[in-house]
Amino acid sequence: MHNRIKTQLARGESSIGTWQMIGHPVVSEILAQAGFDWVVLDIEHGVFDWPTALGHVQAIQGHGCPVLFRLPISAPEQFKWALDTGAEGVIVPMIRTVEDAQRAIGYAKYPPEGERGISIGRAHAYGAAFDDYVATANAETLVALQIEHIDAVRNIEGICALPGLDVVFVGPYDLSGTMGLMGQVTHPEVEAAMAHVVRVAQQAGIVPGLLIMNPKPSEIAQRVAEGFRFISIGLDTKMLLDAAREMAARR
Protein backbone atom coordinates (compact mmCIF):
# COMPACT_ATOMS: atom_id res chain seq x y z
CA MET A 1 0.00 0.00 0.00
CA HIS A 2 1.27 3.47 -0.92
CA ASN A 3 -0.56 6.57 0.27
CA ARG A 4 -0.07 9.53 -2.03
CA ILE A 5 -1.56 11.95 0.51
CA LYS A 6 0.97 11.01 3.19
CA THR A 7 3.82 11.31 0.70
CA GLN A 8 2.61 14.78 -0.26
CA LEU A 9 2.38 15.88 3.38
CA ALA A 10 5.79 14.38 4.21
CA ARG A 11 7.31 16.59 1.50
CA GLY A 12 5.93 19.64 3.30
CA GLU A 13 3.33 20.32 0.63
CA SER A 14 -0.29 21.36 1.10
CA SER A 15 -2.94 18.77 0.31
CA ILE A 16 -6.31 20.12 -0.82
CA GLY A 17 -9.39 17.92 -1.06
CA THR A 18 -13.15 18.21 -1.08
CA TRP A 19 -16.18 16.83 0.74
CA GLN A 20 -18.95 14.61 -0.64
CA MET A 21 -22.39 14.40 0.99
CA ILE A 22 -24.51 13.12 -1.92
CA GLY A 23 -24.52 9.33 -1.96
CA HIS A 24 -24.44 8.71 -5.68
CA PRO A 25 -21.41 7.33 -7.57
CA VAL A 26 -21.89 9.82 -10.39
CA VAL A 27 -21.08 12.59 -7.90
CA SER A 28 -18.07 10.57 -6.77
CA GLU A 29 -16.81 10.32 -10.35
CA ILE A 30 -17.31 14.01 -11.02
CA LEU A 31 -15.42 15.09 -7.91
CA ALA A 32 -12.64 12.58 -8.59
CA GLN A 33 -12.05 14.16 -12.01
CA ALA A 34 -12.06 17.76 -10.77
CA GLY A 35 -8.40 17.88 -9.75
CA PHE A 36 -8.62 17.64 -5.95
CA ASP A 37 -5.92 15.75 -4.06
CA TRP A 38 -8.55 13.57 -2.37
CA VAL A 39 -12.29 13.20 -1.78
CA VAL A 40 -13.92 12.65 1.60
CA LEU A 41 -17.02 10.47 1.77
CA ASP A 42 -19.03 11.77 4.72
CA ILE A 43 -20.72 8.82 6.41
CA GLU A 44 -21.51 10.93 9.49
CA HIS A 45 -23.79 13.54 7.92
CA GLY A 46 -23.98 12.56 4.25
CA VAL A 47 -26.52 10.40 2.41
CA PHE A 48 -24.44 7.20 2.44
CA ASP A 49 -24.60 3.77 3.98
CA TRP A 50 -21.95 1.10 4.31
CA PRO A 51 -23.47 -1.43 1.86
CA THR A 52 -23.09 1.07 -0.99
CA ALA A 53 -19.85 2.72 0.15
CA LEU A 54 -17.57 0.41 -1.81
CA GLY A 55 -19.02 1.62 -5.12
CA HIS A 56 -18.06 5.19 -4.26
CA VAL A 57 -14.52 4.17 -3.39
CA GLN A 58 -14.22 2.33 -6.70
CA ALA A 59 -15.60 5.31 -8.62
CA ILE A 60 -13.16 7.76 -7.03
CA GLN A 61 -10.05 5.59 -7.09
CA GLY A 62 -10.91 4.55 -10.64
CA HIS A 63 -9.96 8.08 -11.66
CA GLY A 64 -6.70 7.94 -9.71
CA CYS A 65 -7.93 10.02 -6.79
CA PRO A 66 -7.43 8.93 -3.16
CA VAL A 67 -10.49 8.58 -0.95
CA LEU A 68 -11.04 9.12 2.77
CA PHE A 69 -14.02 8.34 4.98
CA ARG A 70 -15.36 10.68 7.62
CA LEU A 71 -16.69 8.11 10.03
CA PRO A 72 -20.02 8.53 11.85
CA ILE A 73 -18.56 7.57 15.23
CA SER A 74 -15.29 6.28 16.63
CA ALA A 75 -16.03 2.58 16.95
CA PRO A 76 -13.88 -0.38 15.83
CA GLU A 77 -16.35 -1.75 13.26
CA GLN A 78 -16.52 1.64 11.52
CA PHE A 79 -12.77 1.62 10.94
CA LYS A 80 -12.85 -1.95 9.62
CA TRP A 81 -15.68 -1.21 7.21
CA ALA A 82 -13.95 1.92 5.89
CA LEU A 83 -10.40 0.66 5.59
CA ASP A 84 -11.23 -2.77 4.19
CA THR A 85 -12.69 -1.01 1.13
CA GLY A 86 -9.16 0.17 0.30
CA ALA A 87 -9.69 3.78 1.40
CA GLU A 88 -6.46 5.66 2.05
CA GLY A 89 -7.53 6.87 5.47
CA VAL A 90 -10.14 8.04 7.92
CA ILE A 91 -11.27 11.29 9.51
CA VAL A 92 -12.63 10.62 13.00
CA PRO A 93 -15.25 12.98 14.44
CA MET A 94 -15.69 14.58 17.86
CA ILE A 95 -12.44 13.67 19.56
CA ARG A 96 -12.43 15.33 22.98
CA THR A 97 -9.78 13.66 25.14
CA VAL A 98 -6.39 12.03 24.82
CA GLU A 99 -8.10 8.71 25.55
CA ASP A 100 -10.57 9.29 22.69
CA ALA A 101 -7.64 9.99 20.37
CA GLN A 102 -5.65 6.98 21.53
CA ARG A 103 -8.58 4.62 20.99
CA ALA A 104 -9.24 6.00 17.50
CA ILE A 105 -5.63 5.62 16.41
CA GLY A 106 -5.63 2.06 17.75
CA TYR A 107 -8.77 1.18 15.79
CA ALA A 108 -6.96 2.22 12.58
CA LYS A 109 -3.85 0.11 13.20
CA TYR A 110 -3.26 -3.62 12.98
CA PRO A 111 -1.71 -5.38 15.99
CA PRO A 112 0.62 -4.94 17.73
CA GLU A 113 0.21 -1.16 17.28
CA GLY A 114 -3.56 -1.30 17.50
CA GLU A 115 -6.59 -3.55 17.31
CA ARG A 116 -7.88 -3.31 13.76
CA GLY A 117 -9.52 -6.57 12.77
CA ILE A 118 -7.74 -8.68 10.18
CA SER A 119 -9.73 -9.93 7.23
CA ILE A 120 -9.49 -10.19 3.45
CA GLY A 121 -11.27 -7.54 1.42
CA ARG A 122 -10.79 -5.15 -1.43
CA ALA A 123 -7.91 -3.41 0.39
CA HIS A 124 -6.04 -6.72 0.23
CA ALA A 125 -6.98 -7.35 -3.43
CA TYR A 126 -9.25 -10.07 -2.03
CA GLY A 127 -6.17 -11.95 -0.86
CA ALA A 128 -3.81 -11.44 -3.78
CA ALA A 129 -1.98 -8.57 -2.02
CA PHE A 130 -2.64 -9.58 1.58
CA ASP A 131 0.98 -9.76 2.74
CA ASP A 132 1.96 -6.45 1.16
CA TYR A 133 -1.10 -4.64 2.47
CA VAL A 134 -0.86 -5.76 6.09
CA ALA A 135 2.89 -5.08 6.10
CA THR A 136 2.44 -1.46 5.07
CA ALA A 137 -1.07 -0.46 6.21
CA ASN A 138 -0.13 0.83 9.66
CA ALA A 139 2.42 3.24 8.20
CA GLU A 140 0.46 4.21 5.10
CA THR A 141 -3.11 4.64 6.41
CA LEU A 142 -3.82 8.30 7.09
CA VAL A 143 -5.37 9.00 10.49
CA ALA A 144 -6.96 12.43 10.92
CA LEU A 145 -8.69 13.30 14.19
CA GLN A 146 -11.29 16.04 14.21
CA ILE A 147 -10.69 18.86 16.65
CA GLU A 148 -14.23 20.17 16.77
CA HIS A 149 -14.87 20.53 20.49
CA ILE A 150 -13.31 23.04 22.86
CA ASP A 151 -12.32 20.11 25.10
CA ALA A 152 -10.08 18.82 22.30
CA VAL A 153 -8.43 22.24 22.03
CA ARG A 154 -7.74 22.14 25.76
CA ASN A 155 -6.24 18.65 25.39
CA ILE A 156 -4.40 19.26 22.14
CA GLU A 157 -0.88 18.90 23.58
CA GLY A 158 -1.60 15.37 24.76
CA ILE A 159 -3.44 14.45 21.57
CA CYS A 160 -0.58 15.60 19.35
CA ALA A 161 1.93 13.63 21.41
CA LEU A 162 0.34 10.31 20.43
CA PRO A 163 2.20 8.08 17.95
CA GLY A 164 0.39 7.11 14.76
CA LEU A 165 -1.45 10.41 14.35
CA ASP A 166 -1.04 12.24 11.03
CA VAL A 167 -3.50 15.16 11.03
CA VAL A 168 -5.49 17.18 13.54
CA PHE A 169 -8.42 18.43 11.49
CA VAL A 170 -10.27 21.45 12.82
CA GLY A 171 -14.03 21.48 12.32
CA PRO A 172 -14.81 25.17 12.83
CA TYR A 173 -18.60 24.86 12.84
CA ASP A 174 -18.87 22.34 15.66
CA LEU A 175 -15.99 24.03 17.46
CA SER A 176 -17.76 27.38 17.39
CA GLY A 177 -20.91 25.72 18.75
CA THR A 178 -19.08 24.19 21.72
CA MET A 179 -17.67 27.64 22.47
CA GLY A 180 -21.13 29.24 22.60
CA LEU A 181 -20.50 30.95 19.25
CA MET A 182 -22.59 28.79 16.92
CA GLY A 183 -21.66 29.38 13.27
CA GLN A 184 -19.32 32.28 14.05
CA VAL A 185 -16.34 30.50 12.56
CA THR A 186 -14.25 33.66 12.17
CA HIS A 187 -14.97 35.00 15.66
CA PRO A 188 -11.68 36.06 17.33
CA GLU A 189 -12.08 33.44 20.06
CA VAL A 190 -12.62 30.67 17.51
CA GLU A 191 -9.68 31.89 15.45
CA ALA A 192 -7.52 31.95 18.59
CA ALA A 193 -8.48 28.36 19.40
CA MET A 194 -7.64 27.28 15.85
CA ALA A 195 -4.31 29.09 15.96
CA HIS A 196 -3.45 27.31 19.20
CA VAL A 197 -4.14 23.94 17.55
CA VAL A 198 -1.85 24.88 14.65
CA ARG A 199 1.00 25.95 16.93
CA VAL A 200 0.88 22.80 19.04
CA ALA A 201 0.51 20.51 16.03
CA GLN A 202 3.46 22.05 14.21
CA GLN A 203 5.66 21.75 17.29
CA ALA A 204 4.74 18.06 17.54
CA GLY A 205 5.26 17.34 13.83
CA ILE A 206 1.55 16.77 13.20
CA VAL A 207 -0.15 18.31 10.15
CA PRO A 208 -2.90 20.86 10.93
CA GLY A 209 -6.06 20.50 8.85
CA LEU A 210 -9.16 22.62 8.29
CA LEU A 211 -12.56 22.51 6.63
CA ILE A 212 -13.41 25.60 4.55
CA MET A 213 -16.94 25.19 3.29
CA ASN A 214 -17.10 28.13 0.89
CA PRO A 215 -13.62 29.64 0.47
CA LYS A 216 -13.18 33.22 -0.68
CA PRO A 217 -10.62 33.74 -3.50
CA SER A 218 -7.65 34.36 -1.19
CA GLU A 219 -8.75 32.28 1.79
CA ILE A 220 -7.02 29.02 0.89
CA ALA A 221 -3.65 30.74 0.49
CA GLN A 222 -4.25 32.62 3.73
CA ARG A 223 -4.99 29.44 5.68
CA VAL A 224 -1.94 27.72 4.19
CA ALA A 225 0.17 30.68 5.30
CA GLU A 226 -1.27 30.24 8.81
CA GLY A 227 0.01 26.66 8.85
CA PHE A 228 -2.93 24.55 7.71
CA ARG A 229 -1.68 22.02 5.14
CA PHE A 230 -4.51 19.48 4.94
CA ILE A 231 -7.52 21.47 3.77
CA SER A 232 -10.94 20.40 2.58
CA ILE A 233 -12.68 23.00 0.43
CA GLY A 234 -16.27 23.05 -0.69
CA LEU A 235 -19.18 20.70 -0.20
CA ASP A 236 -20.88 18.98 -3.12
CA THR A 237 -24.37 20.01 -1.97
CA LYS A 238 -23.31 23.64 -1.50
CA MET A 239 -21.45 23.73 -4.82
CA LEU A 240 -24.51 22.43 -6.62
CA LEU A 241 -26.84 24.89 -4.89
CA ASP A 242 -24.57 27.88 -5.54
CA ALA A 243 -24.12 26.98 -9.20
CA ALA A 244 -27.85 26.39 -9.66
CA ARG A 245 -28.78 29.69 -8.04
CA GLU A 246 -26.25 31.56 -10.16
CA MET A 247 -27.62 29.91 -13.30
CA ALA A 248 -31.25 30.60 -12.34
CA ALA A 249 -30.44 34.24 -11.70
CA ARG A 250 -29.35 34.77 -15.32
CA ARG A 251 -32.89 34.81 -16.69
Side-chain angles (χ1 to χ4, degrees):
M1 177 186 181
H2 172 71
N3 192 327
R4 199 168 74 212
I5 307 169
K6 292 193 67 164
T7 299
Q8 190 179 28
L9 294 173
R11 290 197 297 255
E13 300 172 6
S14 298
S15 190
I16 311 296
T18 195
W19 210 266
Q20 182 177 343
M21 301 282 287
I22 301 170
H24 198 287
V26 169
V27 177
S28 302
E29 288 186 313
I30 291 169
L31 294 177
Q33 296 178 76
F36 295 106
D37 293 323
W38 35 269
V39 174
V40 175
L41 300 175
D42 188 347
I43 306 292
E44 183 183 18
H45 292 297
V47 188
F48 292 94
D49 58 24
W50 285 116
T52 62
L54 177 58
H56 297 282
V57 176
Q58 291 170 321
I60 294 167
Q61 291 179 338
H63 288 280
C65 182
V67 60
L68 306 170
F69 279 102
R70 200 263 285 270
L71 303 180
I73 57 172
S74 181
E77 63 272 16
Q78 303 289 331
F79 287 78
K80 287 186 284 189
W81 293 336
L83 296 176
D84 283 355
T85 68
E88 280 80 1
V90 289
I91 299 176
V92 188
M94 206 50 74
I95 297 297
R96 296 177 63 167
T97 68
V98 174
E99 292 74 22
D100 289 343
Q102 195 165 33
R103 279 192 296 269
I105 295 167
Y107 293 154
K109 307 289 184 181
Y110 285 125
E113 295 174 43
E115 55 184 282
R116 177 181 169 188
I118 302 170
S119 183
I120 295 177
R122 180 175 181 270
H124 319 80
Y126 305 103
F130 179 83
D131 290 343
D132 176 67
Y133 181 82
V134 297
T136 57
N138 282 358
E140 293 295 326
T141 298
L142 184 133
V143 179
L145 302 183
Q146 285 203 255
I147 307 302
E148 52 183 350
H149 195 287
I150 190 60
D151 288 349
V153 177
R154 296 181 182 125
N155 292 313
I156 195 64
E157 287 86 356
I159 291 171
C160 286
L162 293 171
L165 175 61
D166 299 299
V167 175
V168 284
F169 187 75
V170 176
Y173 289 89
D174 277 312
L175 178 59
S176 69
T178 68
M179 296 175 69
L181 298 164
M182 180 71 73
Q184 300 179 56
V185 297
T186 59
H187 188 282
E189 292 181 26
V190 178
E191 291 283 359
M194 290 165 47
H196 177 62
V197 171
V198 171
R199 284 194 299 272
V200 173
Q202 289 178 322
Q203 290 168 3
I206 304 298
V207 175
L210 180 65
L211 169 68
I212 311 176
M213 190 175 296
N214 191 24
K216 299 178 177 64
S218 61
E219 188 173 2
I220 300 169
Q222 173 193 331
R223 293 302 190 182
V224 170
E226 291 170 2
F228 293 101
R229 291 200 294 114
F230 181 86
I231 300 176
S232 181
I233 56 173
L235 197 66
D236 58 347
T237 49
K238 187 71 164 60
M239 288 187 276
L240 177 60
L241 177 62
D242 289 347
R245 281 178 167 169
E246 192 276 332
M247 187 72 69
R250 294 180 187 178
R251 55 183 177 171

